[in-house]
Amino acid sequence: MSRFLSRWLVLTIAAGVMVALLPGMEAVGKPPILGIAAFALFLALINASIKPIVHLIALPISLLSFGLFALVLNWLLMELASWLAMTLFDVGVIIHGFLWAVLGSLIMSIVSGIVNAVIGD
């Protein structure tokens, strides 16, 4: 359980940086950190549960497209996390397009790696 909470914290920090840097990402909520935290919660749940299965099923298509289909899957999973947060809690992160989701996942990967290295997870 503590591993999940630390992962959620790391994703919340990474999503906050992503929203701050990208104009195509918009945090919804009062204060906006609630939207970012809700988005990060659902992203952590998706990453822990269905993401490995979806990527495994889509592996042949990803290999044929030289990994570009994995970008589409990441975009869809980010949209799913955003939709769940907005639907269930009325807060979240609005993603304004595929390109912003790709750039956002790149920023989140870099920031997550840095934060994980700092906190020693």
Side-chain angles (χ1 to χ4, degrees), residues 73-89:
L73 286 177
N74 286 337
W75 167 62
L76 290 173
L77 294 176
M78 285 180 75
E79 287 287 346
L80 177 62
S82 174
W83 178 79
L84 285 170
M86 294 294 289
T87 302
L88 295 176
F89 299 134

Side-chain angles (χ1 to χ4, degrees), residues 37-111:
F39 172 74
L41 172 66
F42 285 109
L43 201 57
L45 289 170
I46 289 169
N47 286 345
S49 60
I50 65 171
K51 186 176 180 179
I53 297 166
V54 170
H55 275 279
L56 184 64
I57 292 170
L59 184 62
I61 299 170
S62 292
L63 289 174
L64 289 175
S65 67
F66 299 107
L68 293 178
F69 190 69
L71 295 175
V72 173
L73 286 177
N74 286 337
W75 167 62
L76 290 173
L77 294 176
M78 285 180 75
E79 287 287 346
L80 177 62
S82 174
W83 178 79
L84 285 170
M86 294 294 289
T87 302
L88 295 176
F89 299 134
D90 290 329
V91 296
V93 173
I94 297 174
I95 304 166
H96 295 288
F98 176 73
L99 178 64
W100 295 115
V102 170
L103 292 173
S105 63
L106 178 65
I107 289 172
M108 285 187 68
S109 296
I110 293 168
V111 172

